[in-house]
Amino acid sequence: MSSILQEGDIEYKNDLISLSIAMDIGSVSELTIFSYNGKGIINYNTLSDYIYKVERLKSISELNVNLQSGKSDMLGYPEYFSWIPGNDISLLSDNSNIENSINVETVKNSLSDQEYHKDTFIILEDFYQQDWSPEGVWEIVKLAPESEDQVRLPFFESQTKGEGTEGRKMNLINWMVSQGLITESGQDQIDLVNELGSFKFYSSSVNGSIFKLILKRNFFYSDAKYKYLTSFVDELGLIKTNGVGPFSTITEWNNIFDITFNSNVYSKISISQSRDEVFYAEIEEYINTNWDNKLKDNLWSQAIEDNSLDLSSRDPNTLRQVILYCLKYFGASQDIYLMGSKLYPDLSDSNVKTLIQWKMHTGAIDNYSGLKRKIIREDAFIPMLNKTINVPKIVFLPPKTSYAYSMDYNKLTNTENNTGYN
């Protein structure tokens, strides 16, 4: 494993926490690290995530810290244990890539408390030979697929203090009372709690995700939220022409797609705006403003009459809606590709086929996973067509809007198949 350490890591208590997780379609989960009176406690709120490996790593060698001998019944002893923090167990829990796989029909309560940790909270030092005082700043240093054929990763957001902090602290105090660790709740007890890091995870794929998450404590403050905020721009520099011809249209269009150049899902235009969000807002406005004039003249009016092009629809308004839908949720449009190949062919020796941009740029490497975006083809349900079609999609960190799509897809399949899949 390559080093992911920084200055300040030589302190032996400044170790790493590694979680290997199976996450269902349409899921949202929250991980929070607390210190209570110097004692480290982790909370993982989820409906069904299965954390099949919890590992504590030494910060210098990145080797496992062994579990206590009293935990010898835990699956994975002595190097790790398995954790089921939700009421249900992920439908990916029997995937062949998962160690300690569980049959998807297994009920949580039927599993042994000696083999699995089944609470939403965990006091980490209770499992290990060393104590664990987590004071410091916690950040995600790795979020990567566990195997080459499982490359669908969730998104994460680092939550700043004040975004639900008091509620999370109160939940911790109530849990400690229920466990007999303290005798009463109240503000005096809440004041003893320090929230050191809180992260939300959103499933990005209709296939769910199997991934490894590594968190590190850093004594020297550095907020992971700002990892991609080093190159803010005050102006996008978008090109606006007064022309109405094909060259003017393709120049303005491609310039909007350049917002996503050398960027990925975590890249920012400013503290509050991601490049993906700004890109879609700009392309949506451009399409809606120009659909019945310059885009009609220079893009779709000729193509829509060409039966050799397998467009999603030959109704102009439906075609516009499908293009916007696919750009928003998948980062690419097959219809733009087909029309562009016909009207704006790339006659060079490249494999690009068309001079007009039809997908977000895919070249930037993500700091957390080492992956970069890629285009694949998959079936997707398109609501304005009321059918499933094969479309190009950005994967390996797709637009964050893909979480909303996976939620809608999950509801659709749940309704049609009555699977009970949440």
Side-chain angles (χ1 to χ4, degrees), residues 371-383:
L371 296 174
K372 62 181 180 180
R373 286 172 160 175
K374 180 180 178 181
I375 282 281
I376 66 167
R377 298 195 66 90
E378 280 188 339
D379 289 344
F381 181 80
I382 309 298

Side-chain angles (χ1 to χ4, degrees), residues 158-340:
S158 300
Q159 301 184 100
T160 58
K161 289 186 177 181
E163 298 176 328
T165 299
E166 290 305 306
R168 290 190 290 270
K169 286 183 177 182
M170 193 68 238
N171 288 339
L172 170 62
I173 293 301
N174 289 337
W175 175 79
M176 295 183 72
V177 170
S178 72
Q179 299 298 305
L181 300 174
I182 56 177
T183 57
E184 60 182 18
S185 60
Q187 191 60 48
D188 290 345
Q189 294 295 334
I190 293 176
D191 290 342
L192 295 174
V193 179
N194 189 14
E195 184 179 278
L196 305 175
S198 186
F199 310 91
K200 273 194 172 181
F201 302 91
Y202 302 86
S203 176
S204 67
S205 170
V206 295
N207 299 313
S209 303
I210 299 176
F211 62 97
K212 173 172 281 191
L213 169 69
I214 297 181
L215 301 108
K216 182 179 75 67
R217 178 174 60 153
N218 194 349
F219 288 115
F220 294 84
Y221 182 81
S222 65
D223 192 336
K225 285 185 70 176
Y226 298 96
K227 181 169 290 190
Y228 288 97
L229 305 190
T230 56
S231 58
F232 290 160
V233 292
D234 296 324
E235 300 291 339
L236 293 175
L238 295 178
I239 298 173
K240 303 291 186 181
T241 73
N242 293 321
V244 294
F247 179 78
S248 171
T249 302
I250 196 173
T251 299
E252 293 175 341
W253 177 278
N254 286 352
N255 186 233
I256 295 173
F257 277 78
D258 286 344
I259 294 172
T260 65
F261 181 75
N262 198 29
S263 68
N264 58 46
V265 69
Y266 297 116
S267 300
K268 300 280 188 175
I269 291 289
S270 65
I271 290 178
S272 61
Q273 291 182 301
S274 75
R275 286 187 174 270
D276 286 359
E277 291 168 340
V278 173
F279 158 73
Y280 182 73
E282 291 290 338
I283 199 65
E284 180 184 39
E285 180 182 5
Y286 188 84
I287 289 174
N288 288 335
T289 300
N290 297 290
W291 186 253
D292 292 323
N293 42 68
K294 66 170 65 177
L295 287 177
K296 177 180 179 181
D297 296 338
N298 302 314
L299 186 62
W300 62 261
S301 64
Q302 299 177 53
I304 211 166
E305 302 294 335
D306 188 342
N307 292 326
S308 69
L309 298 179
D310 187 22
L311 300 179
S312 60
S313 175
R314 303 207 176 274
D315 174 73
N317 188 51
T318 302
L319 180 64
R320 178 182 61 84
Q321 291 177 341
V322 173
I323 290 171
L324 286 171
Y325 187 87
C326 289
L327 288 174
K328 180 176 183 178
Y329 293 110
F330 313 135
S333 169
Q334 174 75 1
D335 289 315
I336 296 297
Y337 173 80
L338 292 173
M339 292 188 291

